[in-house]
PDB file of all heavy atoms in Angstrom:
ATOM      1  N   TRP A  69     117.877  84.593 104.667  1.00  0.00           N
ATOM      2  CA  TRP A  69     116.906  84.449 103.628  1.00  0.00           C
ATOM      3  C   TRP A  69     117.504  84.529 102.232  1.00  0.00           C
ATOM      4  O   TRP A  69     118.204  85.549 101.950  1.00  0.00           O
ATOM      5  CB  TRP A  69     115.843  85.578 103.826  1.00  0.00           C
ATOM      6  CG  TRP A  69     114.996  85.445 105.058  1.00  0.00           C
ATOM      7  CD1 TRP A  69     114.732  84.344 105.881  1.00  0.00           C
ATOM      8  CD2 TRP A  69     114.277  86.543 105.674  1.00  0.00           C
ATOM      9  NE1 TRP A  69     113.927  84.641 106.885  1.00  0.00           N
ATOM     10  CE2 TRP A  69     113.641  85.994 106.784  1.00  0.00           C
ATOM     11  CE3 TRP A  69     114.107  87.904 105.363  1.00  0.00           C
ATOM     12  CZ2 TRP A  69     112.827  86.747 107.615  1.00  0.00           C
ATOM     13  CZ3 TRP A  69     113.316  88.627 106.119  1.00  0.00           C
ATOM     14  CH2 TRP A  69     112.674  88.093 107.300  1.00  0.00           C
ATOM     15  N   PRO A  70     117.188  83.616 101.382  1.00  0.00           N
ATOM     16  CA  PRO A  70     117.629  83.804  99.949  1.00  0.00           C
ATOM     17  C   PRO A  70     116.789  84.886  99.254  1.00  0.00           C
ATOM     18  O   PRO A  70     115.835  85.407  99.815  1.00  0.00           O
ATOM     19  CB  PRO A  70     117.296  82.394  99.339  1.00  0.00           C
ATOM     20  CG  PRO A  70     116.135  81.845 100.138  1.00  0.00           C
ATOM     21  CD  PRO A  70     116.385  82.373 101.560  1.00  0.00           C
ATOM     22  N   SER A  71     117.213  85.248  98.068  1.00  0.00           N
ATOM     23  CA  SER A  71     116.576  86.330  97.359  1.00  0.00           C
ATOM     24  C   SER A  71     115.124  86.194  97.192  1.00  0.00           C
ATOM     25  O   SER A  71     114.306  87.083  97.480  1.00  0.00           O
ATOM     26  CB  SER A  71     117.271  86.535  95.981  1.00  0.00           C
ATOM     27  OG  SER A  71     116.602  87.461  95.195  1.00  0.00           O
ATOM     28  N   HIS A  72     114.686  85.014  96.671  1.00  0.00           N
ATOM     29  CA  HIS A  72     113.311  84.729  96.453  1.00  0.00           C
ATOM     30  C   HIS A  72     112.850  83.636  97.477  1.00  0.00           C
ATOM     31  O   HIS A  72     112.711  82.455  97.099  1.00  0.00           O
ATOM     32  CB  HIS A  72     112.992  84.356  95.030  1.00  0.00           C
ATOM     33  CG  HIS A  72     113.170  85.455  94.050  1.00  0.00           C
ATOM     34  ND1 HIS A  72     112.258  86.476  93.814  1.00  0.00           N
ATOM     35  CD2 HIS A  72     114.310  85.875  93.409  1.00  0.00           C
ATOM     36  CE1 HIS A  72     112.687  87.338  93.013  1.00  0.00           C
ATOM     37  NE2 HIS A  72     113.965  87.020  92.724  1.00  0.00           N
ATOM     38  N   LEU A  73     112.680  84.039  98.715  1.00  0.00           N
ATOM     39  CA  LEU A  73     112.391  83.094  99.774  1.00  0.00           C
ATOM     40  C   LEU A  73     111.203  82.231  99.566  1.00  0.00           C
ATOM     41  O   LEU A  73     111.219  81.028  99.858  1.00  0.00           O
ATOM     42  CB  LEU A  73     112.261  83.893 101.043  1.00  0.00           C
ATOM     43  CG  LEU A  73     111.996  83.135 102.420  1.00  0.00           C
ATOM     44  CD1 LEU A  73     113.083  82.162 102.624  1.00  0.00           C
ATOM     45  CD2 LEU A  73     111.865  84.120 103.523  1.00  0.00           C
ATOM     46  N   GLU A  74     110.115  82.809  98.985  1.00  0.00           N
ATOM     47  CA  GLU A  74     108.896  82.075  98.791  1.00  0.00           C
ATOM     48  C   GLU A  74     108.911  81.071  97.715  1.00  0.00           C
ATOM     49  O   GLU A  74     107.921  80.356  97.465  1.00  0.00           O
ATOM     50  CB  GLU A  74     107.726  83.071  98.629  1.00  0.00           C
ATOM     51  CG  GLU A  74     107.361  83.929  99.828  1.00  0.00           C
ATOM     52  CD  GLU A  74     108.256  85.257  99.779  1.00  0.00           C
ATOM     53  OE1 GLU A  74     109.164  85.301  98.980  1.00  0.00           O
ATOM     54  OE2 GLU A  74     107.951  86.159 100.576  1.00  0.00           O
ATOM     55  N   SER A  75     110.068  81.012  96.994  1.00  0.00           N
ATOM     56  CA  SER A  75     110.157  80.034  95.915  1.00  0.00           C
ATOM     57  C   SER A  75     111.413  79.154  96.074  1.00  0.00           C
ATOM     58  O   SER A  75     111.806  78.483  95.141  1.00  0.00           O
ATOM     59  CB  SER A  75     110.112  80.684  94.537  1.00  0.00           C
ATOM     60  OG  SER A  75     111.229  81.573  94.385  1.00  0.00           O
ATOM     61  N   SER A  76     112.050  79.210  97.227  1.00  0.00           N
ATOM     62  CA  SER A  76     113.273  78.534  97.445  1.00  0.00           C
ATOM     63  C   SER A  76     113.064  77.095  97.860  1.00  0.00           C
ATOM     64  O   SER A  76     112.343  76.826  98.858  1.00  0.00           O
ATOM     65  CB  SER A  76     114.101  79.242  98.577  1.00  0.00           C
ATOM     66  OG  SER A  76     115.145  78.453  98.971  1.00  0.00           O
ATOM     67  N   ASP A  77     113.698  76.170  97.158  1.00  0.00           N
ATOM     68  CA  ASP A  77     113.636  74.716  97.489  1.00  0.00           C
ATOM     69  C   ASP A  77     114.177  74.401  98.793  1.00  0.00           C
ATOM     70  O   ASP A  77     113.856  73.419  99.483  1.00  0.00           O
ATOM     71  CB  ASP A  77     114.263  73.888  96.372  1.00  0.00           C
ATOM     72  CG  ASP A  77     113.518  73.931  95.098  1.00  0.00           C
ATOM     73  OD1 ASP A  77     112.263  74.187  95.085  1.00  0.00           O
ATOM     74  OD2 ASP A  77     114.192  73.772  94.024  1.00  0.00           O
ATOM     75  N   SER A  78     115.105  75.249  99.243  1.00  0.00           N
ATOM     76  CA  SER A  78     115.801  75.055 100.582  1.00  0.00           C
ATOM     77  C   SER A  78     114.905  75.507 101.713  1.00  0.00           C
ATOM     78  O   SER A  78     115.347  75.256 102.899  1.00  0.00           O
ATOM     79  CB  SER A  78     117.130  75.766 100.559  1.00  0.00           C
ATOM     80  OG  SER A  78     118.045  75.362  99.505  1.00  0.00           O
ATOM     81  N   ASP A  79     113.847  76.138 101.417  1.00  0.00           N
ATOM     82  CA  ASP A  79     112.998  76.747 102.478  1.00  0.00           C
ATOM     83  C   ASP A  79     111.614  76.282 102.175  1.00  0.00           C
ATOM     84  O   ASP A  79     110.682  77.023 101.757  1.00  0.00           O
ATOM     85  CB  ASP A  79     113.045  78.223 102.457  1.00  0.00           C
ATOM     86  CG  ASP A  79     114.520  78.639 102.761  1.00  0.00           C
ATOM     87  OD1 ASP A  79     114.895  78.675 103.887  1.00  0.00           O
ATOM     88  OD2 ASP A  79     115.220  79.046 101.762  1.00  0.00           O
ATOM     89  N   PRO A  80     111.195  74.939 102.478  1.00  0.00           N
ATOM     90  CA  PRO A  80     109.980  74.392 102.100  1.00  0.00           C
ATOM     91  C   PRO A  80     108.750  75.000 102.737  1.00  0.00           C
ATOM     92  O   PRO A  80     107.695  75.061 102.120  1.00  0.00           O
ATOM     93  CB  PRO A  80     110.116  72.949 102.482  1.00  0.00           C
ATOM     94  CG  PRO A  80     111.168  72.873 103.546  1.00  0.00           C
ATOM     95  CD  PRO A  80     112.150  74.043 103.168  1.00  0.00           C
ATOM     96  N   LEU A  81     108.868  75.471 103.976  1.00  0.00           N
ATOM     97  CA  LEU A  81     107.673  75.998 104.690  1.00  0.00           C
ATOM     98  C   LEU A  81     107.121  77.292 104.010  1.00  0.00           C
ATOM     99  O   LEU A  81     106.015  77.369 103.616  1.00  0.00           O
ATOM    100  CB  LEU A  81     107.990  76.214 106.156  1.00  0.00           C
ATOM    101  CG  LEU A  81     106.752  76.768 106.936  1.00  0.00           C
ATOM    102  CD1 LEU A  81     105.570  75.917 106.855  1.00  0.00           C
ATOM    103  CD2 LEU A  81     107.155  77.022 108.441  1.00  0.00           C
ATOM    104  N   PRO A  82     107.975  78.314 103.858  1.00  0.00           N
ATOM    105  CA  PRO A  82     107.501  79.538 103.155  1.00  0.00           C
ATOM    106  C   PRO A  82     107.111  79.280 101.729  1.00  0.00           C
ATOM    107  O   PRO A  82     106.187  79.869 101.198  1.00  0.00           O
ATOM    108  CB  PRO A  82     108.629  80.583 103.313  1.00  0.00           C
ATOM    109  CG  PRO A  82     109.821  79.787 103.631  1.00  0.00           C
ATOM    110  CD  PRO A  82     109.386  78.595 104.363  1.00  0.00           C
ATOM    111  N   LYS A  83     107.836  78.352 101.080  1.00  0.00           N
ATOM    112  CA  LYS A  83     107.504  78.014  99.670  1.00  0.00           C
ATOM    113  C   LYS A  83     106.125  77.371  99.552  1.00  0.00           C
ATOM    114  O   LYS A  83     105.287  77.803  98.738  1.00  0.00           O
ATOM    115  CB  LYS A  83     108.545  77.103  99.062  1.00  0.00           C
ATOM    116  CG  LYS A  83     108.269  76.719  97.583  1.00  0.00           C
ATOM    117  CD  LYS A  83     109.333  75.810  97.071  1.00  0.00           C
ATOM    118  CE  LYS A  83     108.994  75.417  95.553  1.00  0.00           C
ATOM    119  NZ  LYS A  83     110.122  74.561  95.033  1.00  0.00           N
ATOM    120  N   LEU A  84     105.871  76.453 100.453  1.00  0.00           N
ATOM    121  CA  LEU A  84     104.548  75.781 100.396  1.00  0.00           C
ATOM    122  C   LEU A  84     103.380  76.759 100.768  1.00  0.00           C
ATOM    123  O   LEU A  84     102.323  76.730 100.180  1.00  0.00           O
ATOM    124  CB  LEU A  84     104.591  74.575 101.325  1.00  0.00           C
ATOM    125  CG  LEU A  84     103.297  73.775 101.418  1.00  0.00           C
ATOM    126  CD1 LEU A  84     102.888  73.234 100.016  1.00  0.00           C
ATOM    127  CD2 LEU A  84     103.390  72.591 102.421  1.00  0.00           C
ATOM    128  N   PHE A  85     103.686  77.543 101.785  1.00  0.00           N
ATOM    129  CA  PHE A  85     102.637  78.505 102.157  1.00  0.00           C
ATOM    130  C   PHE A  85     102.263  79.459 101.051  1.00  0.00           C
ATOM    131  O   PHE A  85     101.129  79.723 100.754  1.00  0.00           O
ATOM    132  CB  PHE A  85     103.202  79.316 103.434  1.00  0.00           C
ATOM    133  CG  PHE A  85     102.051  79.879 104.291  1.00  0.00           C
ATOM    134  CD1 PHE A  85     102.363  80.314 105.545  1.00  0.00           C
ATOM    135  CD2 PHE A  85     100.778  80.069 103.756  1.00  0.00           C
ATOM    136  CE1 PHE A  85     101.406  80.868 106.381  1.00  0.00           C
ATOM    137  CE2 PHE A  85      99.763  80.656 104.572  1.00  0.00           C
ATOM    138  CZ  PHE A  85     100.102  81.057 105.874  1.00  0.00           C
TER     139      PHE A  85
END
Side-chain angles (χ1 to χ4, degrees):
W69 293 338
S71 176
H72 293 276
L73 178 58
E74 295 87 350
S75 60
S76 170
D77 291 335
S78 301
D79 301 278
L81 180 57
K83 179 181 180 180
L84 180 58
F85 203 162

